[in-house]
Amino acid sequence: MTLQLSDKDKAMLRGDEGPATKMAMSILVRMAEVSGAKELLDITGAHIDSTVYIGEAGLEFAERLASLGAKVRVPTTLNVSGLDERHWREWAVNAEWARQAKRQMDAYASMGTIPTWTCAPYQTSERPQFGQQIAWGESNAIVFANSVIGARTERYPDLFDICCAITGRAPAIGLHLTENRAGELLLRLKNIPCALQEADDFYPVLGHFVGKIARDRISVIDGLAVSPAEDSLKALGAAAASSGGVALFHLVGVTPEAPTLDAAFQNRPPREIIDVTMDLLREVRRDLTHTEGDELDMVVLGSPHFSLAEFKALAPLVAGKRKNPRVKFLVTSSRAMTQLAKQAGYLDALHEFGAQLTVDTCILTTPMLPPEIQRLMTNSAKFAYYTPGLLGRQMAFGSLKDCVNSAIEGKIVRDESLWLS
């Protein structure tokens, strides 16, 4: 299959628009050829995941583009960085790592990007609209854009996302095309109590299940009896994109392309049907806890980044209380969202509780944990899934309320009542 390029594509490939654009278009064309694309399409926005510092190669790539004068052609947000510029000295981050991570931040910031420094760009002013073609990196952002908003992006990898942003083009493949967005796998919720469906810890568990079952197939979830909040959908997608390669799910009656079951499948029959029972959910929930006892060193919230609504939900849970002094309590978010939470008056209760805030980075991408912190707890299935492998720590999963109560008690405590029914 031959890739057809427009005259403008050919001009960028020749170098008519500068060496950085030529470099980006060369990479884009090669990747499009490998993926079997017939043509490239215009995008209206990009989100760059390669801002995370993971070593010299990524830094060299970013600084090479910057040195060639690279500028993005569409509104482009930046994912979490490897560094909280304001608070990194409070943690175990070494100075050399901080210096390198800052160089990578500076390189991408120089390209005309929007320095959002968040893994939840869909909760900023740069949120795309239904049907828009975009090129996003960061797995949770991709699945949210496709599933909750109905924007269209492939699951773009690090380094390739910035090439799309510089050229304003992406291969016309995969989830950019309507015919590839039909459901493949039907997941029917069976006898799941409404009280559990209203609980905040239901959605990360369901997402963890979806990822393990679907892998990279498009799931259609039917049988939900409540209308989940946006942050619940965020948690579902983040979990599914972590335990599997999920880039799009349809939730019948909730997500834009699934007003009905037939619409979700584009009037085709599902290739497979699975009933989701309480026994299956209880089993995958147990997967998210890797601790053997109840000892606890730290609670971590905000993976993906905490939203204003989540700050609002947390503030009354901690108001007038103090965490156990042996347990750290960390909330990660962006500097902009944290500022909004401060203006709304949500942070006073957190500070009095003894919580700490980290902005613009993610605990999974920066070496901030000291060695004495070994047993953690979270309400994020994504964080629970990655922590044992990436950070080498033990992890317990629970609801937001469980996390607060555990920090107060100084040990892992969980209300199991909704999961035992």
Side-chain angles (χ1 to χ4, degrees):
M1 189 175 296
T2 302
L3 176 67
Q4 300 295 316
L5 298 178
S6 69
D7 290 342
K8 192 170 185 178
D9 294 332
K10 293 175 182 174
M12 287 191 278
L13 193 59
R14 283 195 304 267
D16 294 359
E17 300 193 24
T21 303
K22 178 180 181 179
M23 176 178 164
M25 181 52 89
S26 299
I27 295 169
L28 179 56
V29 166
R30 183 62 186 132
M31 289 291 286
E33 290 172 340
V34 169
S35 59
K38 296 179 181 177
E39 58 184 351
L40 307 181
L41 51 74
D42 287 330
I43 57 171
T44 59
H47 180 67
I48 309 305
D49 190 33
S50 36
T51 49
V52 175
Y53 174 68
I54 55 175
E56 290 298 322
L59 173 59
E60 182 179 345
F61 181 80
E63 291 190 332
R64 173 74 184 280
L65 282 172
S67 70
L68 294 175
K71 296 294 178 186
V72 295
R73 199 171 293 258
V74 294
T76 300
T77 48
L78 298 180
N79 202 48
V80 295
S81 71
L83 183 70
D84 176 349
E85 293 181 90
R86 303 178 182 184
H87 304 110
W88 67 270
R89 292 178 181 82
E90 300 171 10
W91 299 89
V93 181
N94 70 63
E96 178 60 17
W97 171 279
R99 190 180 72 82
Q100 299 292 79
K102 182 64 168 60
R103 283 174 55 190
Q104 189 144 335
M105 294 172 71
D106 290 343
Y108 281 108
S110 75
M111 299 180 196
T113 53
I114 304 166
T116 46
W117 307 124
T118 181
C119 57
Y122 43 86
Q123 293 181 324
T124 73
S125 60
E126 300 304 315
R127 182 183 176 115
Q129 302 297 311
F130 176 81
Q132 285 188 325
Q133 299 285 2
I134 57 177
W136 276 19
E138 164 54 40
S139 63
N140 100 81
I142 292 163
V143 70
F144 191 96
N146 278 316
S147 310
V148 181
I149 298 173
R152 298 184 173 197
T153 179
E154 268 291 281
R155 197 173 153 109
Y156 285 114
D158 285 6
L159 312 183
F160 189 65
D161 44 19
I162 187 63
C163 295
C164 296
I166 291 169
T167 60
R169 302 282 275 169
I173 57 170
L175 297 177
H176 288 292
L177 307 178
T178 300
E179 61 268 27
N180 295 330
R181 297 175 67 85
E184 299 170 286
L185 169 66
L186 175 58
L187 301 176
R188 300 188 298 199
L189 301 183
K190 290 293 183 181
N191 301 319
I192 309 299
C194 283
L196 181 59
Q197 294 186 32
E198 292 171 343
D200 66 282
D201 55 340
F202 170 68
Y203 294 91
V205 172
L206 178 61
H208 186 58
F209 174 81
V210 170
K212 288 170 68 74
I213 292 294
R215 309 310 295 174
D216 61 353
R217 292 180 292 174
I218 299 172
S219 296
V220 177
I221 305 164
D222 192 26
L224 198 68
V226 304
S227 296
E230 176 170 301
D231 286 308
S232 294
L233 297 173
K234 175 174 78 172
L236 193 165
S242 301
S243 59
V246 173
L248 168 63
F249 65 84
H250 296 303
L251 197 52
V252 177
V254 175
T255 56
E257 292 165 85
T260 65
L261 199 56
D262 286 342
F265 283 101
Q266 296 185 12
N267 298 309
R268 305 171 195 164
R271 296 177 183 173
E272 185 179 2
I273 300 174
I274 295 175
D275 288 339
V276 183
T277 64
M278 281 298 299
D279 284 343
L280 287 174
L281 291 178
R282 280 191 283 262
E283 182 180 338
V284 296
R285 181 172 176 257
R286 285 193 290 272
D287 282 351
L288 297 171
T289 291
H290 314 96
T291 54
E292 295 180 354
D294 62 359
E295 294 177 281
L296 180 65
D297 300 319
M298 185 175 185
V299 170
V300 179
L301 307 175
S303 177
H305 269 171
F306 233 46
S307 70
L308 187 61
E310 288 174 307
F311 276 114
K312 183 179 181 180
L314 176 61
L317 293 178
V318 301
K321 301 170 185 172
R322 291 284 298 177
K323 70 173 184 64
N324 187 296
R326 293 186 298 98
V327 176
K328 287 184 174 294
F329 192 96
L330 177 69
V331 179
T332 61
S333 187
S334 65
R335 68 181 74 178
M337 196 62 71
T338 303
Q339 187 61 32
L340 290 175
K342 181 179 180 181
Q343 292 171 0
Y346 300 143
L347 298 192
D348 291 343
L350 270 68
H351 291 313
E352 291 168 5
F353 181 70
Q356 292 175 273
L357 295 174
T358 285
V359 298
D360 301 346
T361 189
C362 169
I363 199 168
L364 293 172
T365 63
T366 188
M368 62 188 290
L369 287 185
E372 64 269 22
I373 293 179
Q374 291 293 326
R375 292 148 300 202
L376 298 94
M377 186 174 189
T378 186
N379 66 342
S380 164
K382 175 177 181 175
F383 188 60
Y385 179 81
Y386 283 129
T387 291
L390 291 179
L391 303 181
R393 265 68 169 191
Q394 298 179 52
M395 175 57 66
F397 172 81
S399 68
L400 181 65
K401 189 175 182 180
D402 289 338
C403 289
V404 171
N405 289 339
S406 295
I408 294 170
E409 294 289 331
K411 61 181 181 181
I412 297 168
V413 293
R414 291 188 293 189
D415 181 354
E416 304 281 352
S417 57
L418 290 175
W419 292 94
L420 295 176
S421 58

